[in-house]
Amino acid sequence: MADFTQTLMTAAAIGSLYALIALGYTMVYGILKFINFAHSDIVVLGAWSSYTVADQVLPRLGYDSRTIPPLWIGAVILPLIMLFCGFVGYVIERLAYRPLRRAPRLNVLITAIGVSLFLQNLGQLDFMFGASPEKMPALLPSWELASFSFGTGEATRKVVISLVDTMIFATSGTLMLVLEYLVFRTKLGTAMRAVSYNTDTAALMGIPVDRVISFTFVLGSSLAAAAGFLYVMKYPGINQPAHTVWVLLGLKAFVAAVIGGIGNVRGAVLGGFVIAFVEQFGAFYISSNYRDVYVFALLIGILLVKPTGLLGSPLREKV
Amino acid sequence: MSVSHPMPAASPIAATPFRPTGPLMGVLPLAIGIVVAVLLHVILPGFVGPYYSRIVIDIGIAIILAVSLNIVNGMTGQFSIGHAGFMTVGGYTAGLITYYGSYFIWGTLGKHGVFLGTGEWLFAASCIVGGLVAAGAGYIVGLPSLRLRGDYLAIVTLGFGEILRVVLQQTGKVLDDGAAIRAAGWSQWLPPPVGGAIGFDGIPKYTNLFWVYTFVTITVVVAYRLKHSSLGRAMISVREDEIAAQAMGVNIARQKVLAFVMAAFFAGVAGGLFAHERGVIISPKDAGFQRSFDYVIMTVLGGRGSISGVTLAAIILTALPELLRDFEQYRLIVFALLLIVMMIVRPQGLFGIHEIWHFWRRRSR
Amino acid sequence: MSATALLHVQDIGIAFGGLKAVQHFSLRLPAGGLYGLIGPNGAGKTTVFNLLTGVYNPDSGSMRLAATDLMGRKPHEITASGIARTFQNIRLFPNLTVLDNVRLAGQLRSRVGLFGTLARTAEYQHQEDDLTRKALDLLSIFEMQDRADELADSLSYGHQRRLEILRALATDPRVLLLDEPAAGLNPQEKLALAKSIRAIRDRFQVAVLLIEHDMGLVMDICERITVLDHGVTICEGPPKHVQNDPKVIAAYLGGGG
Ligand SMILES: Nc1ncnc2c1ncn2[C@@H]1O[C@H](COP(=O)(O)OP(=O)(O)OP(=O)(O)O)[C@@H](O)[C@H]1O
Ligand SMILES: [Mg+2]
């Protein structure tokens, strides 16, 4: 029971990270119909710029990287990183994807791979983040907010609710609510949904399609940045930008988007949690060596049974 | 257009490239290729030394991988980014056969026999078996392509490579002497002891210029004949327009799976050659996406469907980094930029779907 | 009459979400018949073709080609059983040559497998030569032999439309479905096309179902006409009958779109 609860809590924290990343994939796919391979590299950028700020900037402001700075520091860094990565997302869309608006989807996909490779390898250069792993200075104290005990005597097992997990869950939850509001309650969100439904018609109706697309990239990238920031809070050992871990992280988030129903914002969130639960419980109860395998098995299973994903609606190509 | 000529001067039959007729022509290109392979093997190392010979071997292996990937990505218009996965399946299978096979056949580990001796034939056979096993994997991975749109397929193939990497990491350590092999119980053979995360060390290093370029010849001839045949036409029609292809009676599912299986087969063969190459220890990370992307880049730059274009890209993209070793860290940055710029400026690749000599011919007309 | 019908369609229909694109569509097309299918924009004509060729599966009803049940069949199986079509929004294989577009369609009953292809066997050679000859023969119908080596993409619009028809013919169909073959052609070209359609019907012994917006052309060459409006068949009969049906006139005049 204790193990179950603990796994559940880890899964909830990780699931909310997957969900944050999946949102970016799903929004871009919904509108431009391609897998933005470079999205995971924005997560990397978010993670590594968080590290750079914590390691380079904070000490200069008098916060030694060996001591834990006040809580509000994190609350300031996060939006800055989001803003920065949102801008980078904007630039990428503008330079690499926009020229291909009328090109076949495969070309855009190839470009996305190109952008991803570019960012990964640029990030590994010495004057950028370098090609070796680093340790993220702690921004949060390792508090235990609460702990429960299960069982008695020798068999007592403790379940801990840590500050980090709670922060991850709360922050991503808030961001997702903001996004939900943006997409379903604002004019801009309506425009996004219209462009996603039918780009040409939306353009005819006077919706500034290019601007909506730019905005979508900014939004998706800033969520990815937040995920990167939160990720290094939980796992302070940051791998170098071109490490497989990042690609797998992005891949799983994309799988989450597909499982939830690609193009569907709520589906992406659902998918993120589903993936995390499958992964964490599989890792705990079967074998942690194969945690990546469970996720892909689930993907293939779902695609074969319900190709449109859990919340996706069927699409028929018009002939 | 002149009325006096019922048939125009440039008859389409004359323009159809390379039409070998008769049983001799059927094998002639292969024969020529094998002769070239022998010559390369005998002459080249003396001229350029072992370092450059090895680069030429690397180039050959890259050609096999890029040309075969091109059957799926270029001709059939699917998008596989897990080609290195198939290569690795073939490499491990072939290595398993020559490494442990040598022990069971000759009672010793390590290389056996001389040039074209029994050891090398075991090696050649192992490459083909590696290809067949990879083809089986290609069949399994290709099946979802029947139901998935192109870009989902990309994810499935990418996932395949990554899963393979993870699974290979869990294998046991290589049994490195006769006593250990004899002592090994059933449980040690499943999964096979191929070295886990460190890689499969100790595979006898049989790969040489002759075998590589013999397989290069086979791959290129097969790809070329496929492209200029009814089967290839059917594959290309799938790339051009699936709905129209079906309406013309093409079983698109069959074409996609066939393309996958063939591409995987040659990738597997290339894996066999790679695993037995001097200086190489095949390891789980070879199945990962980085290596797959290399071959994707070659097919994209060379031209989707152009066998000669892709071959040229494989040569250049393999040789260049070797010659510019000092700039290794910039290699992928440059390749990536090439990819991005290419998609904007010349999305069909250097040669599009045409072969290089078509351009030459057009110019000289 | 139904006993002699080659293509026998009864009550097929399909809905896209809430939109009933086609309802209770029925058709008896005899061998060698030349029938028309008309209706205002969005009436569901193309959707009928998509149902007949297996692009979409009908939600209900039945369809047969002679003795072959077509329900639930894959598009390529339906083509193999003898129904070929053209596309309203031209769907040639742009990067294949004109010749290869036709040869591709001609090869669907190919007997040569992978091995024969790769070994370049005599049987394979023979089949390819045969395909080429037949394809050139077909191209001669519209005098397009000398364009055989051009990419389909580089053809003029009118030639692309014609190539669509030839490509469909190359599958050796018993029923030919033509989706607005005259769209975008000038009056003379339309006249020539009407002639060709009749000639094709006679020469290849093929039944034709023609979607066309040009009333003159349809009334001129079709033996019977079905009129669709909002997915519903509102009239069926010989041109004279259809022309004078008030419901048809209302559908076309009454902003029926
Ligand atoms: N795949 C699809 N998904 C949703 N709606 C569709 C689909 N295909 C067709 N429709 C709708 O079904 C209706 C009939 O379309 P169809 O293309 O059959 O009309 P049509 O009679 O061929 O018109 P036109 O003369 O303009 O070609 C239209 O309202 C169209 O939007
Ligand atoms: Mg239509």
Side-chain angles (χ1 to χ4, degrees):
Chain A
M1 189 60 198
D3 293 339
F4 180 85
T5 319
Q6 191 71 65
T7 311
L8 198 68
M9 259 155 4
T10 313
I14 300 198
S16 52
L17 291 183
Y18 286 156
L20 274 186
I21 306 171
L23 282 167
Y25 280 113
T26 226
M27 288 191 295
V28 168
Y29 197 99
I31 290 182
L32 294 175
K33 305 281 180 288
F34 79 97
I35 303 171
N36 182 13
F37 269 97
H39 192 59
S40 64
D41 302 295
I42 302 290
V43 180
V44 178
L45 186 64
W48 274 92
S49 25
S50 309
Y51 164 77
T52 310
V53 170
D55 187 68
Q56 306 286 325
V57 182
L58 288 189
R60 266 166 231 187
L61 299 178
Y63 299 102
D64 192 297
S65 61
R66 269 156 305 173
T67 56
I68 291 162
L71 272 180
W72 61 265
I73 292 277
V76 172
I77 294 180
L78 177 63
L80 288 179
I81 303 268
M82 288 175 67
L83 219 60
F84 169 62
C85 289
F87 174 71
V88 173
Y90 169 81
V91 172
I92 290 173
E93 193 279 323
R94 194 61 212 258
L95 295 183
Y97 301 143
R98 191 174 293 184
L100 302 179
R101 207 65 102 216
R102 297 269 149 213
R105 275 170 26 187
L106 200 57
N107 295 8
V108 193
L109 193 65
I110 291 169
T111 300
I113 290 180
V115 172
S116 173
L117 277 178
F118 178 74
L119 292 178
Q120 280 176 16
N121 291 285
L122 187 70
Q124 297 225 125
L125 293 181
D126 291 336
F127 63 87
M128 297 295 286
F129 306 123
S132 44
E134 293 289 350
K135 174 120 176 44
M136 174 78 188
L139 294 183
L140 290 176
S142 53
W143 290 343
E144 298 176 359
L145 293 186
S147 68
F148 310 95
S149 296
F150 289 91
T152 48
E154 286 288 290
T156 307
R157 304 291 290 274
K158 225 170 74 172
V159 175
V160 177
I161 300 181
S162 66
L163 177 66
V164 173
D165 281 355
T166 314
M167 287 299 267
I168 289 177
F169 194 76
T171 313
S172 18
T174 312
L175 290 172
M176 284 183 246
L177 287 179
V178 171
L179 183 82
E180 166 92 8
Y181 175 81
L182 270 177
V183 172
F184 291 101
R185 292 287 145 78
T186 63
K187 246 174 108 174
L188 199 61
T190 313
M192 274 173 70
R193 282 179 292 137
V195 172
S196 163
Y197 189 74
N198 188 330
T199 312
D200 292 334
T201 314
L204 285 178
M205 311 272 275
I207 294 175
V209 171
D210 277 339
R211 238 187 293 160
V212 170
I213 292 174
S214 289
F215 181 73
T216 308
F217 270 86
V218 172
L219 215 56
S221 302
S222 52
L223 291 179
F229 173 85
L230 295 172
Y231 187 86
V232 294
M233 297 287 115
K234 184 157 176 66
Y235 304 108
I238 323 175
N239 283 298
Q240 64 271 31
H243 197 279
T244 330
V245 160
W246 298 115
V247 177
L248 272 174
L249 181 65
L251 216 55
K252 284 184 209 162
F254 179 76
V255 167
V258 173
I259 284 178
I262 194 91
N264 186 316
V265 172
R266 289 168 189 164
V269 175
L270 175 67
F273 285 106
V274 169
I275 288 283
F277 281 92
V278 167
E279 181 188 44
Q280 293 303 320
F281 278 94
F284 192 84
Y285 287 101
I286 307 174
S287 158
S288 72
N289 290 335
Y290 296 102
R291 56 171 66 211
D292 304 328
V293 178
Y294 310 133
V295 173
F296 282 100
L298 182 70
L299 169 72
I300 291 173
I302 293 222
L303 284 178
L304 292 180
V305 179
K306 195 168 184 301
T308 51
L310 296 174
L311 301 185
S313 49
L315 254 180
R316 278 198 254 213
E317 190 185 348
K318 256 189 179 178
V319 176
Chain B
M1 203 168 55
S2 62
V3 194
S4 58
H5 268 278
M7 271 296 264
S11 143
I13 295 182
T16 309
F18 199 167
R19 287 168 46 87
T21 46
L24 181 67
M25 290 304 278
V27 293
L28 193 62
L30 287 178
I32 294 174
I34 290 171
V35 169
V36 170
V38 171
L39 290 178
L40 269 179
H41 181 81
V42 176
I43 297 172
L44 194 71
F47 268 101
V48 300
Y51 174 70
Y52 288 103
S53 296
R54 204 192 136 191
I55 295 181
V56 177
I57 285 182
D58 283 336
I59 288 176
I61 293 175
I63 292 175
I64 298 177
L65 284 157
V67 168
S68 58
L69 179 62
N70 202 32
I71 296 175
V72 173
N73 288 14
M75 285 173 58
T76 318
Q78 306 302 294
F79 199 59
S80 164
I81 45 178
H83 210 48
F86 300 116
M87 180 196 103
T88 310
V89 168
Y92 270 89
T93 308
L96 202 61
I97 291 172
T98 53
Y99 183 80
Y100 292 108
S102 293
Y103 180 77
F104 288 118
I105 298 171
W106 298 298
T108 54
L109 292 167
K111 241 173 115 165
H112 188 88
V114 291
F115 177 54
L116 291 184
T118 43
E120 284 203 5
W121 288 101
L122 175 70
F123 155 65
S126 79
C127 288
I128 290 174
V129 175
L132 291 175
V133 173
Y139 181 74
I140 293 169
V141 177
L143 277 184
S145 74
L146 311 181
R147 310 214 22 186
L148 304 184
R149 288 196 306 265
D151 36 9
Y152 282 20
L153 182 67
I155 291 296
V156 172
T157 52
L158 189 60
F160 162 73
E162 290 299 314
I163 288 178
L164 188 66
R165 194 176 57 78
V166 172
V167 170
L168 286 173
Q169 279 174 353
Q170 313 305 324
T171 54
K173 83 187 222 313
V174 179
L175 309 175
D176 52 6
D177 59 43
I181 295 177
R182 263 174 282 124
W186 275 115
S187 63
Q188 263 169 290
W189 290 105
L190 280 175
V194 290
I198 353 166
F200 195 168
D201 199 359
I203 299 178
K205 298 305 176 195
Y206 283 115
T207 301
N208 57 34
L209 282 163
F210 169 74
W211 286 110
V212 170
Y213 280 87
T214 297
F215 282 118
V216 167
T217 305
I218 295 173
T219 311
V220 172
V221 169
V222 164
Y224 191 81
R225 288 185 171 175
L226 190 66
K227 184 179 169 189
H228 297 283
S229 72
S230 290
L231 266 177
R233 210 148 46 220
M235 286 177 179
I236 295 173
S237 77
V238 173
R239 172 191 73 195
E240 298 279 288
D241 189 331
E242 290 196 9
I243 302 259
Q246 284 183 298
M248 295 308 127
V250 175
N251 183 345
I252 57 172
R254 200 172 142 250
Q255 297 304 329
K256 289 182 191 173
V257 170
L258 181 63
F260 247 95
V261 168
M262 290 186 68
F265 172 79
F266 287 110
V269 170
L273 297 169
F274 176 73
H276 293 80
E277 188 182 346
R278 202 165 285 122
V280 167
I281 297 174
I282 193 168
S283 73
K285 80 173 193 311
D286 287 316
F289 69 96
Q290 274 107 344
R291 187 173 273 279
S292 288
F293 280 2
D294 280 352
Y295 307 120
V296 169
I297 293 173
M298 289 172 194
T299 57
V300 171
L301 293 188
R304 276 178 264 161
S306 169
I307 295 163
S308 45
V310 166
T311 304
L312 188 66
I315 295 172
I316 294 175
L317 296 189
T318 311
L320 214 55
E322 288 290 344
L323 304 178
L324 304 175
R325 273 237 166 255
D326 297 345
F327 303 97
E328 169 62 19
Q329 49 179 340
Y330 296 101
R331 179 180 76 104
L332 280 172
I333 298 182
V334 173
F335 284 6
L337 281 177
L338 264 177
L339 217 52
I340 298 169
V341 172
M342 197 79 163
M343 281 303 111
I344 296 173
V345 181
R346 198 175 162 80
Q348 71 273 40
L350 277 180
F351 299 100
I353 55 167
H354 304 289
E355 300 302 341
I356 295 174
W357 46 90
H358 291 188
F359 290 86
W360 164 252
R361 201 187 288 165
R362 202 171 299 166
R363 195 124 332 136
S364 61
R365 244 182 217 173
Chain C
M1 180 171 91
S2 68
T4 60
L6 171 65
L7 180 62
H8 189 287
V9 180
Q10 188 68 45
D11 281 331
I12 57 171
I14 190 171
F16 298 114
L19 176 79
K20 290 177 181 161
V22 171
Q23 304 178 56
H24 298 293
F25 179 82
S26 299
L27 177 75
R28 314 266 182 278
L29 182 61
L34 207 176
Y35 283 21
L37 181 59
I38 64 172
N41 288 110
K45 307 180 292 293
T46 300
T47 304
V48 167
F49 276 19
N50 286 337
L51 291 171
L52 292 177
T53 52
V55 175
Y56 306 142
N57 285 324
D59 296 335
S60 57
S62 72
M63 356 184 248
R64 261 189 299 114
L65 180 72
T68 318
D69 184 8
L70 301 176
M71 290 295 282
R73 288 302 182 84
K74 298 233 175 70
H76 69 268
E77 295 170 333
I78 291 182
T79 308
S81 73
I83 299 184
R85 72 177 291 181
T86 66
F87 293 92
Q88 177 177 0
N89 49 342
I90 302 175
R91 296 188 90 128
L92 293 167
F93 306 116
N95 291 308
L96 282 180
T97 60
V98 169
L99 182 68
D100 273 344
N101 265 275
V102 181
R103 285 200 291 194
L104 174 91
Q107 74 191 33
L108 82 169
R109 290 179 189 87
S110 157
R111 297 253 136 261
V112 181
L114 182 61
F115 177 77
T117 300
L118 297 182
R120 289 284 191 260
T121 57
E123 190 196 3
Y124 166 83
Q125 267 329 322
H126 182 75
Q127 176 186 286
E128 288 292 290
D129 293 345
D130 222 39
L131 272 175
T132 309
R133 205 170 31 247
K134 281 188 184 147
L136 287 172
D137 220 35
L138 278 172
L139 287 175
S140 71
I141 293 178
F142 290 127
E143 278 152 20
M144 287 171 67
Q145 316 93 299
D146 54 335
R147 295 177 184 271
D149 279 341
E150 289 174 26
L151 292 185
D153 210 18
S154 67
L155 291 182
S156 70
Y157 183 78
H159 276 110
Q160 291 197 5
R161 281 236 169 272
R162 275 168 250 184
L163 181 54
E164 276 255 347
I165 299 176
L166 297 181
R167 188 179 65 167
L169 270 178
T171 65
D172 212 357
R174 284 189 281 175
V175 174
L176 181 60
L177 310 177
L178 300 176
D179 199 344
E180 303 198 17
L185 302 189
N186 65 35
Q188 284 114 314
E189 286 175 324
K190 277 186 184 171
L191 228 64
L193 181 76
K195 251 197 195 146
S196 305
I197 292 177
R198 272 217 205 91
I200 285 170
R201 189 263 308 260
D202 295 340
R203 176 170 158 196
F204 294 91
Q205 299 289 311
V206 58
V208 178
L209 183 60
L210 173 71
I211 296 179
E212 189 45 65
H213 277 298
D214 186 310
M215 284 310 133
L217 197 154
V218 177
M219 298 297 166
D220 186 28
I221 67 173
C222 291
E223 294 145 11
R224 291 182 80 85
I225 295 168
T226 305
V227 188
L228 285 182
D229 188 24
H230 291 111
V232 182
T233 306
I234 55 171
C235 180
E236 199 276 332
K240 277 265 162 47
H241 170 76
V242 168
Q243 242 163 350
N244 298 320
D245 190 311
K247 271 189 294 194
V248 176
I249 296 165
Y252 271 92
L253 296 180

